[in-house]
């Protein structure tokens, strides 16, 4: 699989390491708006994000992965590209454990030692980060980021764009409203409304946020 990685920051470095573990995948392009034009050097293309369609004319079988940790930014880039789902790759680290009954959407990345248990659904362009635990029957929407060592117990519903901080825990059968932020180390024992920030043990909502352009 030929891959174009969108983004060249810290999360991109982790994505690159993941791809190197798969002999069937090869990064042939990096797209970032720090570049002003599409160039080709040392067998790799570098160019701005809007050069993606130009690259597809050169490599029609090319797949894209958005290697950016911020949920709002990933969504804006996907909308900006305007590609159908078939143009995006899904990447899973070989040390992750995933039940055969799990469904994982396009553009999603599952990092080392993550666990996703039976009948869970993971949406598109979501990050299940290092050592995260997604227990049975979770429903995780698009553009979510579950940070390292976070734990979602059974039957949790997570709305679009939610960020769950490192080491946070969510007890069974709760709902986390869209575009909410759960602070690192928080323990969520009741459902969280949309566009909220919740922190602490037990977690409490400290503010509602306005999310523009998503």
């Amino acid at each position: 699989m030929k891959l174009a990685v969108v983004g060249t920051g810290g999360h991109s470095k982790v994505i690159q390491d993941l791809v190197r573990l798969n002999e069937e995948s090869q990064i042939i392009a990096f797209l970032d708006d720090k570049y002003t034009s599409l160039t080709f050097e040392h067998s790799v293309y570098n160019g701005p994000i809007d050069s993606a369609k130009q690259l597809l004319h050169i490599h029609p079988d090319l797949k894209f992965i958005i290697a950016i940790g911020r949920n709002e930014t990933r969504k804006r880039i996907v909308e900006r590209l305007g590609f159908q789902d078939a143009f995006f790759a899904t990447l899973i680290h070989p040390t992750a454990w995933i039940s055969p009954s799990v469904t994982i959407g396009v553009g999603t990345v599952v990092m080392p030692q993550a666990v996703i248990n039976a009948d869970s659904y993971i949406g598109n362009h979501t990050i299940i980060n290092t050592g995260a635990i997604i227990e049975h029957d979770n429903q995780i929407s698009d553009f979510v980021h579950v940070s390292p060592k976070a734990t979602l117990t059974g039957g949790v519903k997570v709305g679009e764009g939610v960020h769950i901080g490192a080491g946070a825990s969510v007890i069974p059968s709760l709902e986390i409203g869209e575009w909410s932020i759960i602070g690192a180390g928080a323990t969520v024992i009741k459902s969280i409304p949309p566009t909220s920030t919740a922190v602490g043990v037990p977690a409490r909502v400290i503010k509602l946020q306005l999310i523009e352009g998503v």
Side-chain angles (χ1 to χ4, degrees):
M1 178 171 60
K2 296 177 182 177
L3 280 172
V5 176
V6 182
T8 57
H11 187 61
S12 176
K13 296 176 183 178
V14 182
I15 295 293
Q16 293 171 50
D17 284 344
L18 193 162
V19 173
R20 291 187 187 103
L21 295 173
N22 186 344
E23 295 180 354
E24 297 179 356
S25 297
Q26 177 188 12
I27 297 172
I28 67 164
F30 292 97
L31 301 183
D32 194 298
D33 284 340
K34 71 180 184 181
Y35 302 116
T36 57
S37 62
L38 185 65
T39 61
F40 184 72
E41 187 176 2
H42 305 301
S43 302
V44 176
Y45 294 91
N46 294 291
I49 294 171
D50 289 340
S51 64
K53 291 181 180 178
Q54 184 180 351
L55 271 173
L56 276 174
H57 285 297
I58 303 169
H59 295 281
D61 57 344
L62 188 63
K63 301 285 187 180
F64 294 82
I65 192 76
I66 313 298
I68 295 171
R70 185 174 174 84
N71 299 339
E72 296 94 329
T73 304
R74 284 202 310 286
K75 181 170 184 179
R76 289 183 183 122
I77 290 174
V78 169
E79 292 173 345
R80 178 177 166 185
L81 291 173
F83 292 156
Q84 297 177 348
D85 288 351
F87 288 98
F88 293 101
T90 298
L91 302 179
I92 299 173
H93 195 278
T95 64
W97 192 92
I98 300 173
S99 167
S101 60
V102 166
T103 299
I104 298 178
V106 301
T108 286
V109 178
V110 182
M111 293 299 189
Q113 299 181 352
V115 173
I116 308 177
N117 277 327
D119 292 324
S120 286
Y121 171 85
I122 312 296
N124 298 336
H125 305 287
T126 282
I127 300 168
I128 307 299
N129 221 317
T130 306
I133 298 174
I134 311 298
E135 270 298 343
H136 63 89
D137 298 297
N138 281 273
Q139 298 290 311
I140 298 178
S141 298
D142 301 342
F143 304 105
V144 170
H145 187 161
V146 182
S147 296
K149 299 292 185 180
T151 299
L152 305 183
T153 54
V156 175
K157 294 182 179 180
V158 179
E160 180 180 280
V162 168
H163 180 93
I164 298 178
S169 300
V170 183
I171 70 168
S173 304
L174 299 185
E175 294 189 23
I176 310 298
E178 62 182 11
W179 298 102
S180 289
I181 297 171
I182 307 300
T187 299
V188 181
I189 63 171
K190 62 181 180 179
S191 293
I192 302 297
T195 67
S196 300
T197 296
V199 300
V201 180
R204 60 185 182 89
V205 174
I206 59 171
K207 67 177 179 179
L208 297 176
Q209 53 197 342
L210 177 64
I211 305 295
E212 298 181 352
V214 296

